[in-house]
Amino acid sequence: MKITLMVWRQKCCKEQGKIEKFVVDNVEEDMSFLEMFDILNERLILEGKDPIAFDHDCREGICGACSMTINGVPHGHEHGTTTCQLHMRKFKDGDTIYVEPFRNKAFPVIKDLVVDRTAYERIMQAGGFVSVATGNAKDANNLPISKENADLAMDAAACIGCGACASSCPNGSAMLFVSAKVGQFALLPQGQPERKRRVLAMIKQMEKDGFGGCTNMYECEAACPKNVSVRFIAKMNRDYLRASLFTKSK
Amino acid sequence: MGLLSYLKSTILSKWVMAITGCILVLFICGHAVGNLQILLGSDTYNTYAAFLQGLGEILWIIRIGLFVCLVLHLITSIRLKLLNNSARPTAYQYKSFLKAKLTSRTMIWTGIMIFAFLTYHLLHFTAGVTNPVEYDQHEVVINGKSGIAQEIPNDPRILAQLPPTLQTTTVDGKLYAVQEEVKTAETRHDVYKMVVLGFRNPITSLVYIIGVILLGFHLSHAIQSMFQTAGFNHPKYTPWIIQGSNALAVIVVLCLISIPITILTGLVGGTI
Amino acid sequence: MNLDAKIPEGPLADKWDNHLFNMKLINPANRRKYKIIVVGTGLAGGAAAATLAEQGYNVEAFTYNDSPRRAHSIAAQGGINAAKNYPNDGDSIRRLFYDTIKGGDFRAREANVYRLAQVSNNIIDQCVAQGVPFARDYGGLLANRSFGGAQVSRTFYARGQTGQQLLLGAYSALVRQIGLGTVTMHTRKEMADIVLIDGQCRGIITRDLLTGEVESHVADAVILATGGYGNVFFLSTNAQACNVTAAYRAYKKGAGFANPCFTQIHPTCIPVSGDHQSKLTLMSESLRNDGRIWVPKNKGDKRKPADIPEEERDYYLERKYPSFGNLSPRDISSRAAKEACDDGRGVASTGYGVYLDFADAIKRLGRDKIEERYGNLFEMYERITDDDPYTTPMMIYPASHYTMGGLWVDYNLMSNIPGLHVGGEANFSDHGANRLGASALMQGLSDGYFVLPSTVPHYLATNGPFEKVTKDHPEFKKAEAEVRDKVSRLMSIKGKHTPTYFHRELGKIMWEYCGMARNEAGLKKALELIPQVREEFWKDVTVTGDAQNLNTVLEKAMRVADFLEFAEVLVHDALERDESCGSHFRTEHQYPDGEAMRNDKDFAHVGVWEFQGVGKKPLRHKEELQYENVKFAVRSYK
């Protein structure tokens, strides 16, 4: 297969970027999208050029490192698939593919396709946990949890923190990410003591970092490689209102 | 700031959007059903209009309530839009959408256009500013019935020729002939005629049809979005809510555009 | 080299409790005066950093990823073992201990493994308290499943993403501490060296991957939780950036490297499809519960699997191991697949693959049942290979997966360098010569939540207060200069090959001569070839870009450079360990039926290597293993 790549190149966050065209000739159907980039990069290195920088690590769709927007959709158009698990057989010989970094004010570009996602870290630090120090736990089966709730919590917990939601959202909103974490804990008895504090703190941090607000377009759900449902956003809206109304403001 | 401090929080802003939106949707539904009575004829329609006018202070409370909702809806949406725009400073060179529909992506624009349309609508039919002549229509109601009085010139010769069964009565300085004994006599705003004359103008009708279709686009996303914001999303019911939202939007649009269309085609008010 | 394991006195079951009591403590008010560096934020590192910070220590944590949540612990699928005995099927701490020792083919330390089994239960409690959504029964209690190498159901799981959920649990504890300011988190910084002052490990040197800056970090104790070295084979189930650098740098500074030849090959991975391949994807071992493994009986049979009649198929695992059949342990299944392929009967375009066939199971149980059990795995397989496993057999092949070997540590998880502690896959301690499924997560969290947070303070209390050291200390300056020198050397070669090219070359040698089956001649050949590749690397590698910016080529080159030196240690160990045990299979030592033949008389010890210089044969030391509670037995799965 011959693929034309239109790739965003940007030396560093301060410089202007632009689209650069590359033609890759020997693409095989069994290659993953990132392996195509590997081949291109090997070629660029041998030509003495700077290879295209992109984040990646596990290459099995779980670490959440990869962050390419492919033809206008984070991780590409394939449903429920990360970039590293996207295979070239989903494209046709002669295709032109646009590859850009995840875009959001809170995710500044570091270089080429690499973005800085520490904004998600700050949101997690604000409240994405159950405050239980090691050694404080009672026997695990002392806390029965209905299978339905455990399964639903797992649906939310499947989030890999890649940032596709905030980057696909026309508003740049991180609501799906935040609601996945808030929703997981809200469904479990362990999360109840900090439920109100958590949702207020995480949303506050989200807004502080410059993410936009949700207007229910559901693009996040469609782009999410782990199919996290916007149902959790709905739940969080309720939680947040309750917490805002019934918590003493500081 | 005080009262407006909710604007700082995107989620509380969304709640304001949903609650005010919900009230406005209820109003629009009522408005559509109420005005559909124009199909039932002048008397029913004008009676309905008179009933609303007769509410007095209550009408003003409703009007002020709706106005506050509208203003909050508008301010909040603009503030959210500005915030959301700033969250995405760099656009994708190539953007495609998987799930975000045209309706959901253009809420702010349909909303602003609807607001402009609404302003025109209020000036047109409520305040009578744009078309004062067509606005100024009145009819005489005798014994609670309209259409039974006929205006006659206050000319003694003609009066003399009137059959004895006819009664005459003077309302607002004009003389009317009536077939029955006059117990009460008054004039009221002939909203029916005003609307019919208003929509006889094809350009006005076109503006209304466009405005209402925009409203339909807005509502099709707005109604189901309201449920999502209010925290109601369940795999069992959400598909129905989405369908219901679209259906309600279509119904509202059909109700409202049926008025100019029936008037333009002469089905309604053809005798005026 | 001092290899005193410092195993506490007393009966096996009481050792850890006694030790906990005997270890020294530090007053809560004094704890924040001690600084602890944790390198790596996977299960072991993340849990240790969080727990030590909870106790009040001043912790600095490092990861080369952009977030601690991306550590490769996240990729573990199957589950985590614990001796809870919730299913009431006869499990106990002692049985988990015994199964682990036996699974490790009697090459692990009794006391460490017993402690692992003891704390396994606390791990489950801790994770549940953190909100880890483990699978549950309809009654709301925790569900278990069975895994290889055990006759009880003791594996806790969260769908096929147990590693992810456990890591996110540890990560949540860690971010809480970062938010509280007790942990300083350094992301996108790769450890480049450790620094010793007066024989104690007093800090590390890192390279900032975004700015290229080489920095010193001073501490009173250092914990390495930097994972395994499976990527020495180039293709493995490890993440792309997994590397040996941290462990190898410590080794070069004097830490002993124990049992590097114990590398586990996982039998059920998706086969290589071409030269472009960058990694191998694991398919959960659980598939072997219902899949039947076979190859054609005739060499070079290129027919479609459906066209090969039953009598021309060789269900080799069922034939060779009638009682365990398709569920034979990892090392045995892997070697059998290799044999079949080496015999020319392999499938897949490369000839390196075997069928894993669900046709019988689908006939017996129905497609729905299979979909319920393995739906997500089948989907993943189809996504990668474009084959539908419901209608055509899967193809699988073994791949490098986990490394049991690692830096030598004593019972306190401290290496032979005072102050340098090692946790998780980076140490060698608990799995012997072969790791059982669902035990890696258990060990990582045991080290991180329970062992290191007790033993590191003991070290601090025993050896502190420490002499005040700053970044300007000559040892730090020297180590920084060495790192800068290495960077500029790599940048200045400007040769004709990329770092990946050399990595691939190394991988080929390692897989060919030091992979699933090893022999003296092959290992000696590898010892000839590796230095050649290394020499060529230093003459002919090219690194583009500059060192002051994000430079992925330079990162790769730094890692490959260390792999090229480390590989030799691994091969030396494989050569010296002149027996077959667990994952280490020397073709010279097998029973007539092809089973591994252990040599307990000469090799019931840990082989620990001491660095002598690049290209020079390292020195081998022994830590004899004492078995007081279990008896040597031949592993048999017939």
Side-chain angles (χ1 to χ4, degrees), chain C residues 52-187:
Chain C
L52 285 163
E54 283 161 9
Q55 292 175 357
Y57 296 97
N58 188 350
V59 178
E60 292 206 34
F62 294 81
T63 171
Y64 56 64
N65 278 305
D66 66 336
S67 160
R69 69 182 293 157
R70 310 214 195 281
H72 199 55
S73 306
I74 206 161
Q77 298 172 353
I80 175 166
N81 287 332
K84 282 281 193 188
N85 194 28
Y86 286 152
N88 191 27
D89 57 358
D91 201 5
S92 63
I93 288 171
R94 195 170 175 88
R95 189 174 298 279
L96 175 55
F97 155 74
Y98 183 74
D99 285 348
T100 309
I101 288 277
K102 181 190 168 199
D105 221 359
F106 302 92
R107 291 294 176 265
R109 227 187 250 149
E110 271 189 347
N112 284 52
V113 177
Y114 196 86
R115 174 179 64 190
L116 177 68
Q118 274 178 305
V119 302
S120 67
N121 292 339
N122 306 47
I123 295 170
I124 301 300
D125 299 341
Q126 180 63 25
C127 294
V128 167
Q130 287 168 341
V132 170
F134 280 121
R136 285 173 186 268
D137 296 328
Y138 282 103
L141 302 179
L142 292 162
N144 286 114
R145 63 180 168 206
S146 33
F147 238 73
Q151 287 169 307
V152 293
S153 230
R154 64 159 75 100
T155 305
F156 295 79
Y157 61 100
R159 294 200 188 136
Q161 292 127 281
T162 318
Q164 181 200 22
Q165 293 312 315
L166 295 178
L167 180 63
L168 292 182
Y171 167 71
S172 71
L174 180 61
V175 291
R176 175 168 162 250
Q177 295 304 319
I178 299 170
L180 292 170
T182 53
V183 173
T184 310
M185 187 68 226
H186 301 267
T187 56

Side-chain angles (χ1 to χ4, degrees), chain A residues 35 42 46 55 57-60 63-64 89 111 121 131 134 139-141 145 151 155 157 161 184 190, chain C residues 51 54 67 70 84 86 125 128 131 140 142 159 165 171 188 240-241 278-279 383-384 386 496 498 550:
Chain A
E35 283 164 356
E42 289 290 289
L46 292 180
D55 261 329
D57 201 18
C58 79
R59 298 215 174 179
E60 48 187 285
C63 75
R89 68 179 75 90
K111 184 181 176 186
E121 297 299 300
S131 295
T134 307
D139 187 84
N141 261 353
I145 298 168
D151 284 351
D155 287 345
Q184 177 196 342
Q190 301 92 311
Chain C
T51 307
E54 283 161 9
S67 160
R70 310 214 195 281
K84 282 281 193 188
Y86 286 152
D125 299 341
V128 167
L142 292 162
R159 294 200 188 136
Q165 293 312 315
Y171 167 71
R188 294 199 195 260
Q240 295 296 295
S278 59
K279 94 154 262 156
R383 190 174 293 148
I384 294 172
D386 207 24
K496 292 192 296 292
T498 65
L550 175 63

Side-chain angles (χ1 to χ4, degrees), chain C residues 364-381:
Chain C
R364 191 175 70 243
L365 302 164
R367 190 189 153 120
D368 290 351
K369 193 83 196 160
I370 294 297
E371 194 168 341
E372 185 194 315
R373 285 186 190 169
Y374 309 112
N376 58 339
L377 291 169
F378 278 31
E379 203 182 296
M380 177 161 111
Y381 182 84

Side-chain angles (χ1 to χ4, degrees), chain A residues 164-166 168-169 173 176 217-225 228 230 233:
Chain A
C165 46
S168 64
C169 177
S173 175
L176 192 65
M217 289 184 261
Y218 312 138
E219 193 61 14
C220 51
E221 182 183 75
C224 176
V228 174
V230 291
I233 299 184

Side-chain angles (χ1 to χ4, degrees), chain C residues 8 50 60 97-98 109 140 152 160 163 261 272 342 464 518 531 619 626:
Chain C
E60 292 206 34
F97 155 74
Y98 183 74
R109 227 187 250 149
V152 293
C261 76
V272 178
D342 287 349
R518 301 152 176 180
L619 217 54
Q626 313 294 336

